[in-house]
Amino acid sequence: MRIGELAERTGVSERSLRYYEKQGLLTAERTPGGHREFGEWAVDRVIRVQALFAAGLNSAKIAELLPCMRDVDGGPSARATERLVAELAKERERTDRLIMDLIRARDVLDEAIDLASRSRA
């Protein structure tokens, strides 16, 4: 599929997809005319990359991690070192802290909404 179709199917801009390719997060074959061609596997890869960015990982960490994850196009590799696992565990702990902070913020908002609603009644 061409880059426009991949962008449409994943909701990610063509510019972002070109960035992913430049960072080694996504690969494309080239047609004789120089157009990018992606396999069906690229949809899953882009969705996974988006999820990792949303989790707060940077592109360098994602590039290191992707070969260790299962995609439609393959499985984990020997690149899943103890160091990488430890770094990912730290990222997981950071994500857990962010989730707890968001839950506390939601609780404060719920209380404010409740108090504001009662004062209007």
Side-chain angles (χ1 to χ4, degrees), residues 57 83-97:
L57 277 69
R83 181 185 62 77
L84 178 60
V85 171
E87 289 175 8
L88 292 173
K90 286 180 186 176
E91 286 293 334
R92 163 101 171 148
E93 290 170 6
R94 185 187 64 77
T95 300
D96 286 343
R97 285 191 303 274

Side-chain angles (χ1 to χ4, degrees), residues 15-80:
R15 182 177 182 189
S16 291
L17 295 174
R18 286 189 289 274
Y19 172 78
Y20 292 177
E21 186 178 14
K22 185 175 180 181
Q23 297 300 308
L25 307 177
L26 188 62
T27 57
E29 299 292 322
R30 294 289 183 153
T31 66
H35 296 282
R36 290 172 176 84
E37 284 284 331
F38 297 94
E40 188 63 32
W41 62 270
V43 173
D44 290 333
R45 172 63 59 95
V46 170
I47 291 168
R48 178 163 285 150
V49 167
Q50 285 292 112
L52 293 170
F53 274 128
L57 277 69
N58 62 40
S59 59
K61 183 59 62 190
I62 294 171
E64 186 178 357
L65 173 62
L66 281 175
C68 305
M69 299 177 75
R70 291 194 186 276
D71 263 345
V72 174
D73 63 338
S77 73
R79 294 179 63 183

